[in-house]
Amino acid sequence: MIDGLDHVVVAVRDLDSSAEGYRQLFGRAPVILTGGGARRAWFQFPNMALELIAPEQGAGGEGRAGDRARAWLEKGEGVCALAFHAPELEATGKLMARRGLGAGEPAVSHLKDERGRDHVLRAVRLDPAATGGLEMVLIGRGEPIHPPEPQGPAPIAALDHVVVTTANPDRALAVYGAKLGLDLRLDRENTGWNARQMFFRCGEAVVEIGARIGGPVSDQPDRFGGLAWRVADPLAAQARIAAAGFDVSEVRTGRKPGTHVFTVRNAPGGIPTIMLSHQPAASHESA
């Protein structure tokens, strides 16, 4: 079964520029990986990873990963896939196939980092026609990709949640709950926001499904929304990110009681991005 969110995939056109942008945003450096016709910048967090991917140029861009990255970029930069960790990959793939998610056979990706170390990812791709139109894979891995230590003050601590928007809430309930087997923790409507929100726990992160209340139900594909990241000290994180040249909002009280959030308006790749803390915001005097 799925025991967590392994990583979120973001397609970018310029890997070096995007990786540097996220290095400054996160306060931590990536591991650069090559293989399968693509280059990747892998930002590892305690509960998941963010993978930036771009096709290699020239003859080096030939391969399954490079072809897929080019196909994603035809639709634009941004979040393009969710990868779920499944320790028993083959058995979980067969279960997903029986549940109607069209799981394929495991494929192996051989990657090499900038120090020449080898990394192996084993993946089972699910059929987007059965997942609500989104790219999803199951991941079984060997040795973890060890990241560098965080750099400087107030680094981003972890992913809190990834947002998916849908015009078919019942389909989403079936895909994420009954078929993927994620834990539905909350299903609520808020007329003030004209939103229905469903929160599925996935290991130490959450997949949030959003839909408009009273909107027409359709078979239109779901869409990836934004990413919400956890910070220990929102004021310190906001100051660091602003000093790095990002356009950030003021720290404000979050919708969830006890939270404080701020928005990063120009995150690399144009991804809607918020930072949140579950602790009370410290004052500048006490920071």
Side-chain angles (χ1 to χ4, degrees), residues 53 78 138 210 266:
I53 186 169
L138 309 176
N266 59 339

Side-chain angles (χ1 to χ4, degrees), residues 1 99 171-184 200:
M1 293 294 292
R99 290 179 175 177
R171 180 183 65 193
L173 281 169
V175 169
Y176 292 89
K179 296 185 179 183
L180 292 174
L182 306 188
D183 182 9
L184 177 61
F200 291 87

Side-chain angles (χ1 to χ4, degrees), residues 4 44 55 166 196:
Q44 185 67 54
T166 186
R196 178 182 177 183

Side-chain angles (χ1 to χ4, degrees), residues 22-181:
Y22 271 105
R23 184 193 68 78
Q24 295 187 47
L25 181 66
F26 291 151
R28 62 177 71 226
V31 174
I32 303 299
L33 303 165
T34 58
R39 295 178 67 223
R40 299 165 169 87
W42 188 276
F43 291 89
Q44 185 67 54
F45 293 88
N47 65 338
M48 51 74 70
L50 184 77
E51 178 192 32
L52 308 183
I53 186 169
E56 285 200 78
Q57 301 301 313
E62 296 178 1
R64 183 176 64 249
D67 292 342
R68 191 155 293 166
R70 278 185 284 272
W72 286 329
L73 286 170
E74 288 179 359
K75 302 176 183 178
E77 292 186 303
V79 177
C80 55
L82 297 181
F84 299 102
H85 184 243
E88 298 179 359
L89 182 63
E90 287 80 3
T92 304
K94 291 177 181 177
L95 176 62
M96 295 298 111
R98 292 198 300 271
R99 290 179 175 177
L101 291 180
E105 292 298 318
V108 179
S109 297
H110 295 276
L111 309 176
K112 191 176 290 291
D113 67 26
E114 63 265 42
R115 295 186 180 181
R117 295 172 297 192
D118 294 320
H119 303 272
V120 178
L121 292 179
R122 297 170 58 245
V124 169
R125 183 171 180 255
L126 305 181
D127 183 0
T131 65
L134 298 184
E135 189 80 23
M136 298 182 190
V137 296
L138 309 176
I139 292 289
R141 67 169 64 254
E143 291 296 318
I145 300 172
H146 295 287
E149 292 297 316
Q151 303 170 323
I156 304 310
L159 180 78
D160 191 83
H161 62 273
V162 55
V163 178
V164 171
T165 61
T166 186
N168 196 327
D170 288 341
R171 180 183 65 193
L173 281 169
V175 169
Y176 292 89
K179 296 185 179 183
L180 292 174

Side-chain angles (χ1 to χ4, degrees), residues 231 234-239 241-242 246-254 259-265 273-277 281-282 284:
V231 296
L235 291 173
Q238 187 244 30
I241 293 170
F246 289 94
D247 181 11
V248 298
S249 72
E250 295 299 315
V251 176
R252 61 191 185 275
T253 301
T259 63
H260 289 82
V261 305
F262 66 93
T263 302
V264 180
R265 302 187 182 98
T273 300
I274 66 169
M275 307 293 175
L276 66 86
S277 170
H284 287 292

